[in-house]
Amino acid sequence: CLAELPLSVELRAALTDAQRTLVGAIDAEMAAVSGEIAGMASGASSGGDGEVVALLLRLKVPRAIADCEADALSLLDRPFGEAATYCGGQAPPTPVVAAAVAEAAAAAPLAKEEAADEPYVVPTKLKGAVKAKVVKTEAVVPYSKGSSSIHHIVVEFVGDEANRMPYWEGQCVSVLPPGDDPKTGKAHKKKRPYTIASERRGDDLAGNSLSLCVRWVPAPTGAGPADVPDGAASTWLKSLAVGDELEMEGPTGKSMVLPEDLSKGLVLVATSTGSSTFRGFLHRLLKSDNAQSRAFRASGAQVLVLMGGLNADAIPYAGEFLELAKAEPQLSVELALGGERVDAGGETTLPDTIAAAAPRIKAIADNGGDIFLGGLKGMVKPVEKALTDAIGTPVKDLKKAGKYHSEVY
């Protein structure tokens, strides 16, 4: 039932810390009880029926608390009505609960990014680096002949509030890999940028983390072209384990952030890690309660996502987007599958998918909506031609009007 409250970032962080403490206490209690029961079973200690029952009750209660606590935490980001229904069947909250919610809502300060009158000012690069530690890492696309592996890495800022990095969806951070550059024999000097794949408060909405989408570039074997990237940063990031620390600089980039007016609709086109930007967009609009998402839902605007890859498994976050579209009438997701040179992007089947979706793309463009393109540079020419054919207006004209945004590599 806390979901309706405009909680500050600090209060959400405190709740998260309290949850972790509770889980630790429950685990310790269950381990202690289990140890005592095991001792009785082995004959190392004795106890009557009453003591055994007491131990079993001690074991049952923490499990019940853990289950209830997990259910409650899952409701933190649900609308209040849904949470109340979940907690109490179809019955409305009791007068005491309703009064407490109303009192807390009136007293709690709005988180800065939630304020309805918050100016549209894109965060700028901080002076110096911030420190973070890895809290989660997983391969969202496995390595295959058709695609490099792609990794989703969640990092949490460490230290006090001074070590934080405000950012928006669509921005990037830069990292400097450790060790020496094999080409020069000296320490790496070139920082590598990576797109942020989370909404501005992180995947957990606690305001203390961000997610990176990293496409692994294997180190060259000597058989490839001389300009093949050495893969130092991606190889290092891919190898990081939970608990490892790193430094990041940023955020940078303004061209790929969400537009201020979302009531006209969006067309999002991507290959490979280009979908990471759009993950942040969709989380912000459809998986988070904020002034921007409320305005978007009220407008009824449509978001059309078109993503290309050799197969569905080769497109990061494709499964997540498709599942989200099943529950969201304002979201449509289509995959363009096939093409042998997926890493290069030049043989994508996206132009065919764009042609099939031309009426919907044109409707959004004619309504004043924005078009975003992200991913591998090889797909730019065929995709931009297909978009021009679909809307009947050259993409370069939309770019001049501030309605076409692209970021490729």
Side-chain angles (χ1 to χ4, degrees), residues 87-232:
C87 292
Q90 298 301 315
T94 65
V96 174
V97 171
V101 169
E103 181 180 355
L110 280 172
K112 186 175 182 181
E113 70 274 20
E114 299 292 339
D117 59 349
E118 180 71 12
Y120 184 82
V121 180
V122 181
T124 56
K125 185 179 180 181
L126 301 176
K127 293 181 179 179
V130 297
K131 294 182 178 180
K133 67 177 179 180
V134 177
V135 296
K136 181 180 180 181
T137 178
E138 63 175 327
V140 291
V141 172
Y143 177 81
S144 68
K145 184 178 180 180
S147 175
S148 297
S149 62
I150 298 175
H151 303 260
H152 183 77
I153 303 171
V154 183
V155 299
E156 189 176 80
F157 303 118
V158 299
D160 56 25
E161 287 295 321
N163 188 64
R164 298 291 184 271
M165 181 189 291
Y167 64 89
W168 279 9
E169 309 76 24
Q171 292 192 291
C172 299
V173 297
S174 297
V175 299
L176 185 66
D180 295 337
D181 186 335
K183 296 179 180 178
T184 64
K186 299 179 181 180
H188 287 283
K189 294 183 178 180
K190 183 180 179 181
K191 298 179 178 69
R192 274 71 163 183
Y194 289 93
T195 302
I196 297 171
S198 54
E199 80 113 73
R200 66 193 66 178
R201 288 175 295 167
D203 285 354
D204 62 0
L205 303 179
N208 191 41
S209 67
L210 61 79
S211 298
L212 298 176
C213 186
V214 177
R215 175 175 171 264
W216 178 44
V217 180
T221 61
D227 62 346
V228 171
D230 63 15

Side-chain angles (χ1 to χ4, degrees), residues 31-50:
V33 173
S34 298
E36 292 184 45
I37 292 175
M40 289 182 181
S42 65
S45 62
S46 60
D49 290 348

Side-chain angles (χ1 to χ4, degrees), residues 41-397:
S42 65
S45 62
S46 60
D49 290 348
E51 186 174 351
V52 173
V53 170
L55 283 171
L56 291 175
L57 286 174
R58 280 178 59 193
L59 190 62
K60 180 179 179 181
V61 170
R63 280 181 174 166
I65 293 175
D67 291 342
C68 180
E69 176 258 0
D71 286 343
L73 286 171
S74 72
L75 298 171
L76 274 176
D77 296 302
R78 297 186 186 184
F80 175 73
E82 182 182 349
T85 299
Y86 184 90
C87 292
Q90 298 301 315
T94 65
V96 174
V97 171
V101 169
E103 181 180 355
L110 280 172
K112 186 175 182 181
E113 70 274 20
E114 299 292 339
D117 59 349
E118 180 71 12
Y120 184 82
V121 180
V122 181
T124 56
K125 185 179 180 181
L126 301 176
K127 293 181 179 179
V130 297
K131 294 182 178 180
K133 67 177 179 180
V134 177
V135 296
K136 181 180 180 181
T137 178
E138 63 175 327
V140 291
V141 172
Y143 177 81
S144 68
K145 184 178 180 180
S147 175
S148 297
S149 62
I150 298 175
H151 303 260
H152 183 77
I153 303 171
V154 183
V155 299
E156 189 176 80
F157 303 118
V158 299
D160 56 25
E161 287 295 321
N163 188 64
R164 298 291 184 271
M165 181 189 291
Y167 64 89
W168 279 9
E169 309 76 24
Q171 292 192 291
C172 299
V173 297
S174 297
V175 299
L176 185 66
D180 295 337
D181 186 335
K183 296 179 180 178
T184 64
K186 299 179 181 180
H188 287 283
K189 294 183 178 180
K190 183 180 179 181
K191 298 179 178 69
R192 274 71 163 183
Y194 289 93
T195 302
I196 297 171
S198 54
E199 80 113 73
R200 66 193 66 178
R201 288 175 295 167
D203 285 354
D204 62 0
L205 303 179
N208 191 41
S209 67
L210 61 79
S211 298
L212 298 176
C213 186
V214 177
R215 175 175 171 264
W216 178 44
V217 180
T221 61
D227 62 346
V228 171
D230 63 15
S234 63
T235 299
W236 167 60
L237 288 170
K238 181 177 79 76
S239 69
L240 292 176
V242 173
D244 288 345
E245 295 193 356
L246 68 157
E247 292 188 347
M248 303 179 298
E249 293 185 4
T252 56
K254 294 183 178 180
S255 64
M256 291 292 285
V257 301
L258 278 171
E260 184 173 12
D261 182 7
L262 296 168
S263 66
K264 310 302 182 183
L266 299 171
V267 177
L268 313 177
V269 185
T271 61
S272 190
T273 55
S275 61
S276 58
T277 294
F278 305 151
R279 182 178 186 269
F281 286 6
L282 298 184
H283 278 219
R284 181 68 178 168
L285 298 181
L286 300 172
K287 299 189 71 173
S288 169
D289 182 30
N290 55 77
Q292 209 169 18
S293 68
R294 289 191 290 271
F296 168 74
R297 288 187 181 279
S299 73
Q302 294 295 305
V303 177
L304 174 60
V305 181
L306 307 174
M307 300 192 295
L310 179 64
N311 51 54
D313 291 337
I315 305 174
Y317 314 118
E320 178 182 342
F321 291 5
L322 289 169
E323 284 300 312
L324 186 58
K326 292 178 182 178
E328 297 292 347
Q330 290 177 256
L331 173 64
S332 299
V333 178
E334 295 190 15
L335 305 184
L337 306 180
E340 296 178 4
R341 301 269 319 268
V342 175
D343 276 343
E347 295 185 15
T348 177
T349 61
L350 268 170
D352 295 335
T353 303
I354 290 171
R360 287 180 290 165
I361 296 172
K362 180 173 174 56
I364 292 175
D366 289 349
N367 192 43
D370 288 71
I371 299 176
F372 287 80
L373 175 67
L376 301 163
K377 63 182 179 181
M379 56 93 169
V380 172
K381 288 184 178 180
V383 166
E384 288 190 342
K385 181 181 183 305
L387 287 171
T388 295
D389 292 343
I391 61 181
T393 302
V395 165
K396 62 180 182 180
D397 291 348

